[in-house]
Every structure is written in C-alpha cells, then in structure tokens.
C-alpha cells in the first residue's frame, strides 16, 4: 500500500493555524515577522509561533517556518539571530531557497529539517541530489514541472529524499515566483517578501509620441489583465497526483482567511482519504469536492503545468476579480455556561438571519441566529463592526472551531 502523502496547509495567523489543524492538515507552514516571502501577511510573532507549534503538536501536526527570501548581505546576520530564536521553539522544518541561508541553518540548528523552497527553481533530479547531499530532507518542485517529470525525479533520487508539490492556489506569472515587476514599478521587492502583485493589474499600451492616449492590448475597451493567471486546482485529478510519488501536497495561500483555509483543507483531506479507501469512492464523491472547492474565493481554475505547458486559456484577460460564494463571519472560539458562543466577528450578520455552520467532518448545517450580545451583555440586532467580540445564540449545540459563513446570492443574469 502506498504511503498517504502529507497535506500541507498555509496559515497567516495563529487563528488560521488552529483552523488548519482542526480541518485536516497534516502539516502547516507559517511565516515569522522576517525573512519570509509574505511580508504583507499578518505573520507570526515569536510568541504566537511558539503557541502555534505547541497547539499543532498536540494534534500530531507538524509546523514548517518559511525563511525563503533571496538574501542580500545585509540579511545574513539577522538570519543567524532568527534561527537561534527558532531553535528554542522547535519547528519541524525550515523552508529555505538561498544557499547561504541554508548553510547558516545547517550550522545553527542542524536538528531542524531543512526544506528547499520552490523559489530555488528545482526542476531536475540532479538538483534534488545536490540538495540531498548538502543535508536537505525535502525539495519543493518548481511550479513548471509536469507530473511526468515529477515521476522521473522520484525514480532518480534517494528513497529518503522527499518531494513536495503545490496542488492548489494562486499561480505566479514569473518563473518559480522570482518576479521583478513589483520592484521595478514600486520599489517593493517580491524576492524579499514585499510583492505588490502587479501581475493582477490592468494594462494598456501607450505610444511614446502620444502620451496619455491609452490603447488596449487586445480588442477590449477595458484594457487587459495580461499577466493574470488562473488559480491552480487539482481536486479533479487526485488519482494522478496520488500516484506520482509525491510526499507532500501543498496548498498556496498564506494571506488567505480562515474560511478559505478550512474549505480547502477539508475538501482535499476528504479527497485524499477517500482515494486511499477506494478510487471508486473518490470518483463517486467528485460532485461534493467540486461544490466545496467552489465555496472559497478563486479566480477560475487551471491544472497549471502538470499536463504540459499551459496555453492562453490559463490566463484571465478581462478581470482580476475573485469569485466569492461565501462570506466569512467568524468561528466558535469558546462556549459560556449559558450556551452562548464567543466569536470575533468578521462580517455583518443579523438576529433572525439563517447562516451556515461549516464543520470539520464535512457537514454544512443551516442555523438561525437567535440572539447576539456584546461583551457587556447588551443585546444587539446586528453585528456591524469587524473584529468585535460577540456572544451568539445559535439555537443548538455546536463545537468549538466550527466556522460561521453566509452563502451569497447568485446575481441574476
């Protein structure tokens, strides 16, 4: 029997880490306040990181910390100090792209596994062998690899060398994520974690003798989002993914909400478990996977490079807008002796409104909001203020970490 691969889920905060753990992650990857490639994410203080690692380990879930910037000279001393701090809180692995940073990690905290980021352009089995000889436990595939190439890598590397591959989430327009557009336009370096995502902007042409006269790149009066990629989604192709010799299946999204993380983690968790039960069960439940995965924000889906080089249909030329079927309201953080549930409210909802409870086991349950109270115990008709602490009566017994969401109405055409 093949070993079941790890499901690796992103977390932007301690809250999201806990949700990822409860909703099916085998491992979670997070970023500290420095040296990761998502500087605009909320990220983890050292205290939150320590708490998150303790929480995850309680459930048998691993935690990997990103340190995958392309380092400059000025970064190296700070990297050393950072790894000295991480050594004390014991994450399960460091995700690294820079060889200099790798060697510092090997020296300072050799007991922590070292994983090689997709940023390192890992496209062949020779590269995997190189990193293995230096002491890396795992290498993350470049996004540009096909399943056929991954199978070939598996056949040519040591058995104890692990392969990690992205199977869901946003795609970068640049090779293995090494983008210079943000730095060129705004001075914010994507390779140092400060990307402004110019690949999602709308572009037109300006001819130099006619400044101010904007012409669309294509026959479209709105211009074109020429760099805007669809999102990767392999939920319909897990039979191919799970037979390719991949050890860890990675979800992109370290700036996403708890609702996104819970939805994707729960859906892929069930798909993996169903397939390992039987391939027939996986095929039978495909409509459920599709329905659930469409419940989180997405741009439109593509299979990326897995079945060969993508063509023009992998891009979205007329919009950068996400599809959004559900609005995140909060999750059940605690329960009072009176049966009220504490939440940190994320979006407005009303007394009398029917909302949906999303549970880790796959159930989606409609409930009616019976009452809302603020921290002082005052009754409220609605919850209009983001991040407000509220206590809600939902009319029935639920579980901590259940997520509250609202299904959005489909606009009439």
């Amino acid at each position: 029997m093949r070993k079941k691969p790890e499901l690796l889920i992103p977390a932007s905060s301690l809250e999201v880490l806990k949700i990822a753990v409860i909703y099916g992650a085998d491992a979670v990857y997070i970023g500290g306040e420095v040296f990761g490639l998502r500087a605009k994410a909320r990220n983890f203080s050292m205290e939150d990181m320590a708490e998150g690692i303790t929480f995850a380990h309680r459930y048998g879930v691993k935690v990997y910390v990103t340190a995958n910037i392309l380092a400059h000279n000025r970064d190296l001393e700070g990297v050393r100090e950072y790894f000295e701090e991480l050594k004390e809180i014991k994450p399960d692995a460091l995700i690294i792209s820079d060889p200099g940073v790798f060697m510092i990690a090997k020296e300072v905290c050799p007991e922590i596994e070292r994983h090689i980021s997709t940023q390192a352009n890992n496209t062949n089995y020779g590269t995997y062998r190189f990193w293995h000889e230096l002491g890396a436990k795992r290498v993350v595939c470049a996004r540009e690899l096909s399943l056929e190439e991954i199978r070939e890598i598996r056949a040519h590397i040591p058995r104890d060398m692990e392969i990690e591959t992205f199977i869901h989430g946003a795609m970068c327009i640049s090779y293995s994520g090494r983008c210079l557009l943000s730095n060129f336009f705004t001075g914010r370096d994507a390779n140092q974690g400060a990307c402004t995502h110019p690949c999602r902007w709308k572009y037109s042409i300006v001819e130099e003798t006619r400044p101010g006269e904007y012409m669309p790149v294509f026959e479209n009066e709105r211009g074109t989002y020429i760099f805007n990629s669809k999102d990767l989604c392999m939920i319909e192709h897990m039979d191919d993914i799970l037979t390719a010799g991949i050890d860890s299946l990675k979800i992109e999204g370290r700036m996403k909400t708890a609702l996104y993380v819970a939805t994707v983690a729960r859906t892929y968790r069930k798909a993996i478990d169903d397939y390992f039960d039987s391939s027939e069960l996986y095929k039978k439940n495909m409509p459920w996977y599709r329905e659930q995965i469409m419940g989180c924000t997405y741009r439109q889906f593509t299979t990326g490079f897995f079945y060969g080089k993508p063509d023009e249909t992998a891009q979205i030329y007329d919009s950068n807008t996400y599809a959004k079927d559900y609005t995140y309201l909060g999750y059940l953080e605690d329960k009072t002796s009176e049966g009220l549930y504490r939440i940190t409210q994320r979006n407005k909802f009303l007394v009398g409104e029917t909302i949906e409870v999303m549970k880790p086991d796959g159930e989606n349950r409609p409930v009616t909001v019976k009452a809302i109270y603020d921290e002082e115990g005052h009754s409220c008709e609605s919850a209009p203020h983001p991040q407000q602490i509220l206590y809600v009566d939902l009319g029935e017994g639920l579980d901590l970490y259940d997520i509250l969401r609202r299904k959005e109405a489909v606009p009439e055409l």
Side-chain angles (χ1 to χ4, degrees):
M1 183 67 177
R2 289 186 302 275
K3 179 183 175 184
K4 191 180 291 188
E6 170 187 272
L7 179 58
L8 177 56
I9 302 295
S12 60
S13 66
L14 183 58
E15 168 198 331
V16 178
L17 179 147
K18 291 178 179 180
I19 292 295
V21 168
I22 297 299
Y23 280 75
D26 296 308
V28 179
Y29 66 102
I30 66 176
E33 294 172 330
V34 290
F35 306 123
L37 280 182
R38 288 292 180 270
K40 291 200 294 182
R42 290 172 61 189
N43 291 321
F44 285 70
S45 66
M46 200 58 67
E47 292 75 19
D48 281 353
M49 202 179 291
E51 183 179 343
I53 291 169
T54 299
F55 181 89
H57 287 177
R58 191 183 309 145
Y59 288 86
V61 173
K62 296 181 178 180
V63 178
Y64 309 145
V65 176
T66 60
N68 56 340
I69 66 164
L70 302 185
H72 289 248
N73 294 331
R74 63 180 180 271
D75 298 313
L76 296 183
E77 275 308 307
V79 164
R80 181 177 296 276
E81 293 170 8
Y82 183 50
F83 288 168
E84 292 281 4
E85 292 183 85
L86 290 178
K87 184 182 177 77
E88 300 302 314
I89 61 174
K90 298 179 173 60
D92 297 280
L94 302 172
I95 302 173
I96 296 169
S97 61
D98 186 278
V101 172
F102 181 93
M103 297 309 289
I104 293 172
K106 187 174 181 179
E107 175 191 341
V108 171
C109 44
E111 70 281 9
I112 301 175
E113 285 185 9
R114 293 169 298 283
H115 298 175
I116 305 305
S117 169
T118 188
Q119 287 281 116
N121 306 100
N122 308 303
T123 56
N124 64 79
Y125 56 76
T127 296
Y128 277 69
R129 289 172 175 173
F130 167 83
W131 285 114
H132 182 262
E133 290 178 9
L134 280 178
K137 175 68 174 177
R138 177 184 298 182
V139 173
V140 186
C141 293
R143 294 292 195 101
E144 296 79 19
L145 290 183
S146 67
L147 281 168
E148 181 181 353
E149 289 175 295
I150 292 171
R151 293 188 184 100
E152 189 175 4
I153 288 171
R154 178 76 275 168
H156 286 83
I157 63 174
R159 183 166 297 201
D160 64 339
M161 178 100 238
E162 294 181 354
I163 297 174
E164 179 178 305
T165 303
F166 282 96
I167 60 165
H168 191 95
M171 300 280 286
C172 185
I173 194 65
S174 293
Y175 192 77
S176 290
R178 292 186 166 195
C179 189
L180 300 176
L181 283 177
S182 180
N183 207 353
F184 179 77
F185 287 138
T186 70
R188 293 175 56 174
D189 190 346
N191 301 311
Q192 291 272 299
C195 187
T196 55
H197 303 289
C199 54
R200 312 303 181 201
W201 300 352
K202 181 170 71 174
Y203 290 89
S204 297
I205 293 173
V206 177
E207 201 275 322
E208 69 174 327
T209 65
R210 290 178 281 177
E213 185 177 338
Y214 294 89
M215 294 170 282
V217 181
F218 290 94
E219 292 298 323
N220 183 321
E221 71 279 3
R222 293 168 293 178
T224 180
Y225 295 86
I226 190 171
F227 300 121
N228 191 27
S229 174
K230 294 181 179 179
D231 286 354
L232 179 66
C233 178
M234 294 299 289
I235 196 67
E236 297 183 17
H237 306 279
M238 294 303 288
D239 44 356
D240 290 338
I241 290 289
L242 294 171
T243 55
I246 301 165
D247 299 281
S248 181
L249 308 180
K250 189 171 193 173
I251 307 297
E252 186 278 337
R254 210 152 50 77
M255 296 177 70
K256 299 290 190 179
T257 68
L259 176 59
Y260 174 93
V261 165
T263 302
V264 177
R266 187 180 73 164
T267 307
Y268 278 95
R269 173 80 279 148
K270 182 169 175 54
I272 293 167
D273 293 347
D274 285 351
Y275 183 85
F276 272 79
D277 188 357
S278 77
S279 58
E280 290 75 20
L281 180 61
Y282 167 70
K283 292 173 185 175
K284 176 185 174 184
N285 287 332
M286 186 63 69
W288 187 87
Y289 311 142
R290 290 193 189 109
E291 179 186 11
Q292 298 308 306
I293 214 70
M294 299 288 279
C296 57
T297 54
Y298 63 95
R299 284 189 181 87
Q300 290 176 36
F301 290 136
T302 175
T303 57
F305 291 81
F306 281 122
Y307 298 105
K309 288 184 169 60
D311 59 20
E312 68 279 358
T313 62
Q315 305 296 111
I316 307 171
Y317 297 110
D318 61 355
S319 171
N320 72 341
T321 304
Y322 279 103
K324 181 182 178 183
D325 292 345
Y326 285 92
T327 295
Y328 179 42
L329 305 177
Y331 76 97
L332 305 187
E333 302 168 6
D334 201 0
K335 185 178 181 179
T336 70
S337 57
E338 295 83 15
L340 300 176
Y341 293 98
R342 172 192 160 115
I343 72 165
T344 304
Q345 174 264 346
R346 296 308 198 279
N347 285 286
K348 183 177 180 178
F349 60 97
L350 309 170
V351 172
E353 182 178 358
T354 298
I355 60 175
E356 193 168 273
V357 174
M358 177 182 170
K359 300 180 75 67
D361 65 2
E363 181 186 4
N364 302 316
R365 183 188 305 179
V367 297
T368 299
V369 181
K370 304 294 186 184
I372 302 173
Y373 302 94
D374 63 20
E375 285 188 282
E376 286 71 43
H378 302 134
S379 178
C380 310
E381 287 302 309
S382 67
H385 305 299
Q387 300 296 320
Q388 185 177 2
I389 303 298
L390 299 170
Y391 293 85
V392 295
D393 178 357
L394 298 173
E396 57 183 279
L398 298 168
D399 300 303
L400 300 188
Y401 299 106
D402 285 354
I403 283 178
L404 305 183
R405 64 184 188 178
R406 178 198 300 113
K407 186 168 180 60
E408 298 304 316
V410 178
E412 294 184 7
L413 299 177

